[in-house]
Amino acid sequence: LGAIGLGFDSLFPPKPASNNPKHPISKPYLPSAVLEALAFEALLVATAARQVANGEALDANDYRRLLLAAERLQGAVNHVHT
């Protein structure tokens, strides 16, 4: 490569200046898909709330899934605010 005035850096594109999530290269998800996922998580929360309001206890699996739904909903909020 040196014989023709090139180096290995000429063969590879430069790396991005930063890996900042505030400036994504492309949109990784369709907004409609994100809303559908969030709506499903909200439905799970509402279902659990109805079950508890009716005096029924959540079993361990349902409770873990409720916590996951809450985590996902909060994660979406945190993502928007970063």
Side-chain angles (χ1 to χ4, degrees):
L1 291 172
I4 57 172
L6 297 175
F8 280 102
D9 58 334
S10 301
L11 299 176
F12 303 99
K15 293 183 180 181
S18 75
N19 201 8
N20 188 343
K22 289 186 178 182
H23 303 289
I25 294 171
S26 65
K27 294 180 181 179
Y29 304 103
L30 292 172
S32 61
V34 172
L35 287 175
E36 286 177 17
L38 293 175
F40 181 75
E41 298 301 328
L43 179 62
L44 288 174
V45 172
T47 301
R50 184 185 59 213
Q51 187 173 338
V52 170
N54 288 338
E56 303 171 38
L58 298 176
D59 65 25
N61 287 332
D62 289 343
Y63 183 71
R64 278 193 297 274
R65 187 58 183 92
L66 176 61
L67 291 178
L68 178 61
E71 181 181 316
R72 288 177 174 172
L73 291 166
Q74 188 61 51
V77 171
N78 292 343
H79 181 74
V80 170
H81 289 292
T82 57

